[in-house]
Amino acid sequence: MLAGILLLMAVLYSIEDVRVSNTLGMSHPKATKYSFFVAMFQSLLLGILFLTVIFLCKDDIAIIFSNSKDMIKAVSDLAYLLGLTMVLVSASLVISGVAIGCGWQVMVAYINLASYYIVGIPLGVYLGFKQHFGVKGLWGGTMCGNVLQIIVLMLIIWQTNWIKEVEQTADRMRSWSSKNLSKDMLEDGT
């Protein structure tokens, strides 16, 4: 079930990446912004739906995998973190997809590295081992990294001049097409 949910969210991520790239390439800044809002709304709606299902079924989820009473109780205790993670991941995938669709892959990579490896994991280790929260602390720390990534990327997207992004995309397309044209002419011998 969880694998199917994550696959669905990954598909949403890739769809938004392509949609943003296409609308920028077609010189439609308003459509780009609109597609972001629609995808974000749909993704958050799905995340909230999964959060609700997980909250309602928190005592029964582990029965699929184990009959152990201890395991069922442990999974039930972690269900709240799983539900919250579903909402955060659904938002994170769309925001990352928009940023990558705009051609900001390197920036997104640095933000991810800083969010998870500099903030999230150390915070999770601190909460999990130093503050003795265990798995909840480790998971909570990585979720804090995810929240940081969402906040940073949302600030960047919020302040984006979409008209300027369309112009930069058009410049890149002209540059790449002229390079390909020159390369094709050299290969043809003309």
Side-chain angles (χ1 to χ4, degrees), residues 78 124-139:
L78 293 173
V125 168
Y126 174 76
L127 292 173
F129 297 112
K130 295 288 186 181
Q131 296 299 315
H132 307 290
F133 286 116
V135 173
K136 291 180 183 179
L138 290 169
W139 200 341

Side-chain angles (χ1 to χ4, degrees), residues 6 35 37 69 101 108 117 119-120 137 164-165 167 175 182:
L6 293 176
S35 69
F37 288 126
K69 299 279 187 200
V108 171
Y117 292 103
V119 175
K164 183 179 173 188
E165 286 300 316
E167 291 169 0
S175 170
S182 299

Side-chain angles (χ1 to χ4, degrees), residues 17-77:
D17 181 358
V18 171
R19 178 72 178 153
V20 167
S21 299
N22 287 344
T23 55
L24 284 175
M26 292 185 298
S27 300
H28 296 297
K30 287 183 181 179
T32 305
K33 196 173 186 178
Y34 179 73
S35 69
F36 165 68
F37 288 126
V38 168
M40 192 65 170
F41 175 75
Q42 289 175 338
S43 184
L44 285 175
L45 195 62
L46 278 173
I48 292 168
L49 173 73
F50 292 131
L51 172 128
T52 305
V53 168
I54 290 168
F55 282 7
L56 293 175
C57 301
K58 70 180 180 72
D59 296 326
D60 301 323
I61 293 173
I63 294 172
I64 299 170
F65 305 104
S66 174
N67 292 328
S68 167
K69 299 279 187 200
D70 293 334
M71 184 62 69
I72 293 170
K73 182 177 177 352
V75 170
S76 179
D77 289 343

Side-chain angles (χ1 to χ4, degrees), residues 80-94:
Y80 296 106
L81 287 173
L82 177 61
L84 187 57
T85 299
M86 290 303 207
V87 174
L88 290 175
V89 167
S90 67
S92 175
L93 289 174
V94 170

